[in-house]
Amino acid sequence: MSESFPEIQGGGSLILAWQVRNKKVLVIGGGEVAAGRILNLLNADAKVTVISPRDGLNPEVAHRIERKQVEYHDRRFEPSDLDDPHITMVLTAIDDPEASTTIWKLCKERKIAANIADVPPECDFYFGSVHRDGPLQIMVSTNGNGPKMANIVRRRIAASLPPKMGDAISKVGELRKRLRKVAPGNDEGPKRMQWMSKVCVQWTLEDLCEMDERDMDDLLQSFAPDKVPSLEQIRLGEESGEYHFDGSFGWACVV
């Protein structure tokens, strides 16, 4: 029998959530583009070093420097700046194509991932348009073809989400933590994963946004019989079908 598999669509990027917490990132430039890059990096808890003459600083970048949110060097880039073995990535945002290309080549020699602003061929990775709501991050990338289009698409996606979607995701994270206390054994791992998947699929996004701590506790009582009652059933004190909660974790009685 022939099987159907997804067709390969070349020309894309591998979109990843790059963990740069406590890692050193070098930003060369201090203008408006650099300001956006720096904010993204600080939101990801990176250790940011900025190199730029002070007379070229954007007000936001100057604010980050004044608040000591970044390490700052008031000068132009020097090749020796790349000698630090702890540098994870380099971002350039300067109005000098020749200098940018030189930095790109130096990064390639040292095998350091780099992004040269507005020069897609000289980028190991791209910055997309990002929607952020607490733990929720949604990135739209056009692979360097249309940054403004990425922004438009991202706004439309964000507008379609329920309010406080980030809070809902935080609540799901809390539910998972509580589930581990209810069923801590490693042998329960597959069942925990399957049950959490059922909750996320069977409950609407609006239900997850509305869920409170008492709802979590009541919902967890359905784990042992492997049931997923609705939010309405939980608040009415009942479960669909054959089970009735007795108020304790781990078991239910047939009625």
Side-chain angles (χ1 to χ4, degrees):
M1 292 178 61
S2 61
E3 297 184 66
S4 176
F5 297 106
E7 291 292 329
I8 295 173
Q9 301 181 46
S13 297
L14 183 62
I15 297 181
L16 303 171
W18 195 340
Q19 299 298 316
V20 293
R21 174 173 296 181
N22 295 324
K23 295 181 179 178
K24 190 168 186 177
V25 179
L26 183 62
V27 177
I28 302 166
E32 183 179 353
V33 173
R37 302 287 196 256
I38 291 168
L39 177 60
N40 287 335
L41 292 167
L42 292 176
N43 283 340
D45 301 322
K47 294 181 177 179
V48 182
T49 298
V50 178
I51 297 176
S52 175
R54 188 169 292 276
D55 59 7
L57 294 181
N58 168 281
E60 182 178 342
V61 177
H63 170 77
R64 305 293 175 202
I65 293 169
E66 182 181 348
R67 298 290 298 274
K68 300 188 183 303
Q69 295 172 344
V70 301
E71 180 183 333
Y72 174 59
H73 299 285
D74 179 8
R75 57 173 173 78
R76 295 183 180 277
F77 168 81
E78 298 173 359
S80 60
D81 290 324
L82 300 179
D83 291 343
D84 186 342
H86 299 294
I87 293 176
T88 298
M89 66 172 69
V90 171
L91 313 177
T92 74
I94 56 178
D95 295 323
D96 187 336
E98 185 176 341
S100 292
T101 296
T102 297
I103 295 170
W104 160 256
K105 291 178 179 178
L106 290 170
C107 288
K108 293 303 94 188
E109 291 174 4
R110 291 165 172 76
K111 295 182 172 55
I112 301 174
N115 174 280
I116 310 302
D118 207 29
V119 188
E122 297 182 352
C123 292
D124 291 309
F125 55 92
Y126 302 121
F127 283 88
S129 183
V130 177
H131 169 70
R132 177 75 186 272
D133 182 1
L136 174 64
Q137 290 180 266
I138 299 172
M139 189 186 91
V140 177
S141 173
T142 60
N143 288 300
N145 288 290
K148 185 60 178 179
M149 284 299 299
N151 182 273
I152 292 170
V153 173
R154 185 263 301 170
R155 288 178 181 275
R156 180 166 295 188
I157 292 172
S160 70
L161 297 173
K164 299 183 179 180
M165 193 65 241
D167 287 345
I169 292 174
S170 295
K171 291 174 183 177
V172 169
E174 176 62 24
L175 181 65
R176 291 180 64 193
K177 291 179 183 177
R178 296 187 184 200
L179 177 58
R180 281 190 169 275
K181 294 179 180 179
V182 172
N186 290 334
D187 56 333
E188 293 273 27
K191 183 180 176 182
R192 286 197 304 264
M193 293 177 62
Q194 292 172 6
W195 186 80
M196 281 300 310
S197 294
K198 289 180 183 177
V199 172
C200 293
V201 169
Q202 295 181 32
W203 281 38
T204 67
L205 295 180
E206 289 77 11
D207 288 341
L208 293 171
C209 289
E210 189 178 341
M211 178 174 61
D212 59 27
E213 293 193 3
R214 181 172 179 177
D215 296 328
M216 289 185 203
D217 289 338
D218 290 343
L219 177 59
L220 285 168
Q221 294 177 39
S222 68
F223 173 73
D226 197 21
K227 299 289 182 178
V228 179
S230 68
L231 178 61
E232 181 181 10
Q233 290 167 340
I234 283 176
R235 291 184 172 179
L236 289 174
E238 64 183 34
E239 183 181 3
S240 175
E242 1 170 12
Y243 293 91
H244 174 73
F245 294 132
D246 77 330
S248 64
F249 290 116
W251 66 279
C253 54
V254 179
V255 293

